[in-house]
């Protein structure tokens, strides 16, 4: 098992190993204490692993209760959030009890936002069950829900007290859900680590524990430098501005990782056309997306994408910060005036 410590405003450990779900109760008891543990999870994860988590919590003397919502991004809304809060209140969770997010990115976002708001903040543990949550969303404290106008428009920075990543749970993921996480792993390689990027030429699933650990370190280093995303953390949004627009335009039928992959491809082609990166860097990125059967473009038009981008919270007044690759392992942030956004996206939609 590997342990990676994240020293943000709250210091916490990320444990990564195979089979550690059954030790979660012991670890949570030692780390956060409390009497009750509210598991927040979706119907898929509850059916597969809900009893195992409840059992380990009960063995460590927790009163375990489980809030289950329908899986999918469509659940990441105000209704689920309020109903999760009501569930915590009805089950008499107190200030010293713990909310356990058990699932992928959507679950972590809803559970984390509920933990941040319930009684103005209770203890919170993340147990990711998707590759995307393991390498990205379970670390760094972003929590929230979507509003009709756009993704993640309401939320809070709320760091967990611990993250417990049992890599053996990822074996039950469908190929599509696994690929969502691969997109974020490729993103980390492009923004921060050429060696990681090159290592992805060997399939991720043959080196899962090491890849997850390296991704958590990359994310940890960026988040520790800029917990509240005033500057460098924006690099983690490589592919996300266009990606969120694609998700919104598809009514969330295109999932986050697939949309981010298309978003990375679009800004990479735009970067070549704007002389910000060499054509071979773009080839390497597009080849890697292809290798993991991720999209390299989108059917949406530049004007629709630009309009959808404007609802993204990354907008700062009349400009938007976009992230472009400079070379594999290094990206740059650039302010794009709103009136130029459509032109930049159009450059990225055209094949090189
Ligand atoms: N997923 C990007 C971030 O946590 O900043």
């Amino acid at each position: 098992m590997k342990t990676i410590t994240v020293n943000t405003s709250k210091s916490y450990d990320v444990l990564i190993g195979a089979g550690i779900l059954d030790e979660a109760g012991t670890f949570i008891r030692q780390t956060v204490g409390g009497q009750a543990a509210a598991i927040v999870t979706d119907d898929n994860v509850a059916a597969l692993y809900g009893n195992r988590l409840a059992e380990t919590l009960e063995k460590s003397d927790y009163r375990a209760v489980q809030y289950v919502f329908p899986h999918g991004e469509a659940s990441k809304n105000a209704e689920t959030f309020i109903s999760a809060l009501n569930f915590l209140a009805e089950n008499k969770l107190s200030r010293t009890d713990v909310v356990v997010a058990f699932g992928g990115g959507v679950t972590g976002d809803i559970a984390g936002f509920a933990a941040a708001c319930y009684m103005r903040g209770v203890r919170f543990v993340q147990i990711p069950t998707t590759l995307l949550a393991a390498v990205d969303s379970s670390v760094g404290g972003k929590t929230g829900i979507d509003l009709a106008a756009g993704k993640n428009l309401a939320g809070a920075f709320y760091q967990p007290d611990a993250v417990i990543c049992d890599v053996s749970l990822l074996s039950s993921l469908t190929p599509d859900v696994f690929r969502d996480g691969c997109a974020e792993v490729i993103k980390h390689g492009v923004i921060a680590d050429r060696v990681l990027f090159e290592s992805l030429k060997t399939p991720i699933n043959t080196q899962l524990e090491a890849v997850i650990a390296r991704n958590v370190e990359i994310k940890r280093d960026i988040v520790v430098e800029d917990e509240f995303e005033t500057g460098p953390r924006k690099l983690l949004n490589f592919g996300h501005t266009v990606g969120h627009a694609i998700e919104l335009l598809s009514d969330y039928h295109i999932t986050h990782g697939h949309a981010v992959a298309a978003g990375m491809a679009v800004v990479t082609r735009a970067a070549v056309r704007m002389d910000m990166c060499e054509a071979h860097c773009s080839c390497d990125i597009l080849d890697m997306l292809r290798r993991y059967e991720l999209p390299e473009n989108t059917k949406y038009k530049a004007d629709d994408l630009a309009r959808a981008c404007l609802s993204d919270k990354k907008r700062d007044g009349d400009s938007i910060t976009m992230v472009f690759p400079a070379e594999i392992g290094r990206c740059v942030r650039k302010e794009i005036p709103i009136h130029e956004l459509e032109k930049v996206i159009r450059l990225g939609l055209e094949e090189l």
Side-chain angles (χ1 to χ4, degrees):
M1 186 179 76
K2 292 190 167 63
T3 303
I4 296 170
T5 302
V6 183
N7 280 315
T8 40
S9 50
K10 191 192 270 178
S11 180
Y12 56 97
D13 284 344
V14 181
L15 309 187
I16 303 162
I20 61 176
L21 177 64
D22 301 311
E23 307 305 318
T26 312
F27 183 68
I28 295 172
R29 163 74 47 221
Q30 284 164 359
T31 314
V32 300
Q35 275 85 50
I39 302 166
V40 176
T41 191
D42 70 26
D43 48 354
N44 282 341
V45 175
L48 285 170
Y49 305 117
N51 288 345
R52 259 176 79 189
L53 179 55
E55 257 168 45
T56 171
L57 289 166
E58 280 160 3
K59 253 205 242 154
S60 289
D61 295 327
Y62 281 105
R63 175 173 63 87
V65 292
Q66 190 161 232
Y67 174 75
V68 183
F69 63 88
H71 65 276
E73 186 77 27
S75 285
K76 208 175 98 175
N77 55 30
E79 199 186 329
T80 314
F81 167 67
I82 295 294
S83 119
L85 288 177
N86 280 323
F87 177 88
L88 299 179
E90 281 153 16
N91 283 280
K92 308 210 174 335
L93 264 276
S94 77
R95 268 228 162 107
T96 51
D97 291 329
V98 55
V99 170
V100 182
F102 189 36
V106 169
T107 301
D109 273 356
I110 296 170
F113 193 30
C117 294
Y118 183 67
M119 295 190 170
R120 301 201 177 90
V122 293
R123 288 156 195 179
F124 171 45
V125 173
Q126 288 260 22
I127 305 185
T129 61
T130 64
L131 180 62
L132 186 145
V135 298
D136 186 12
S137 58
S138 67
V139 177
K142 278 192 181 175
T143 73
I145 54 172
D146 303 334
L147 301 182
K151 202 172 149 77
N152 300 332
L153 288 183
F157 286 100
Y158 195 66
Q159 300 294 339
D161 293 278
V163 181
I164 302 167
C165 176
D166 182 343
V167 298
S168 60
L169 304 184
L170 308 190
S171 60
S172 55
L173 296 177
T174 62
D176 255 5
V177 175
F178 190 79
R179 277 196 287 270
D180 272 328
C182 295
E184 298 286 359
V185 173
I186 294 169
K187 177 195 83 177
H188 283 149
V190 177
I191 64 174
D193 187 349
R194 171 179 279 279
V195 176
L196 168 68
F197 186 87
E198 290 301 325
S199 78
L200 303 179
K201 290 178 181 165
T202 305
I204 290 179
N205 52 6
T206 63
Q207 42 170 346
L208 211 45
E209 197 168 322
V211 165
I212 292 172
R214 181 62 197 130
N215 277 265
V216 169
E217 284 171 352
I218 290 170
K219 177 116 193 220
R220 183 263 320 266
D221 292 347
I222 294 176
V223 166
V224 165
E225 190 184 349
D226 179 23
E227 182 174 349
F228 299 106
E229 198 171 294
T230 55
R233 184 167 180 169
K234 292 182 181 174
L235 290 172
L236 290 169
N237 298 329
F238 174 45
H240 280 58
T241 303
V242 175
H244 285 171
I246 293 170
E247 282 183 88
L248 185 63
L249 291 173
S250 77
D251 209 10
Y252 298 102
H253 286 107
I254 300 178
T255 53
H256 183 64
H258 286 70
V260 165
M264 290 192 288
V266 170
V267 288
T268 296
R269 279 188 294 267
V272 174
R273 295 224 159 80
M274 292 159 73
D275 289 328
M276 297 173 74
C277 93
E278 306 277 349
H280 65 79
C281 162
S282 153
C283 289
D284 289 349
I285 294 171
L286 297 176
D287 280 352
M288 193 58 83
L289 294 176
R290 209 168 302 131
R291 192 182 282 270
Y292 282 94
E293 297 176 43
L294 287 161
E296 297 163 59
N297 215 330
T298 172
K299 64 178 183 190
Y300 297 109
K301 303 270 180 287
D303 53 348
D304 291 331
L305 287 165
R307 239 188 327 274
C309 280
L310 297 185
S311 69
D312 199 273
K313 64 189 180 318
K314 288 157 197 81
R315 178 178 177 172
D316 302 310
D318 50 11
S319 70
I320 193 158
T321 306
M322 291 184 78
V323 179
F324 296 93
E327 57 188 314
I328 302 297
R330 187 170 67 87
C331 282
V332 292
R333 292 175 273 141
K334 189 171 163 60
E335 294 291 312
I336 302 293
I338 295 300
H339 66 272
E340 285 181 18
L341 186 59
E342 185 180 326
K343 191 178 84 192
V344 172
I345 293 173
R346 196 178 304 284
L347 289 176
L349 289 176
E350 290 162 18
E351 300 300 331
L352 288 169

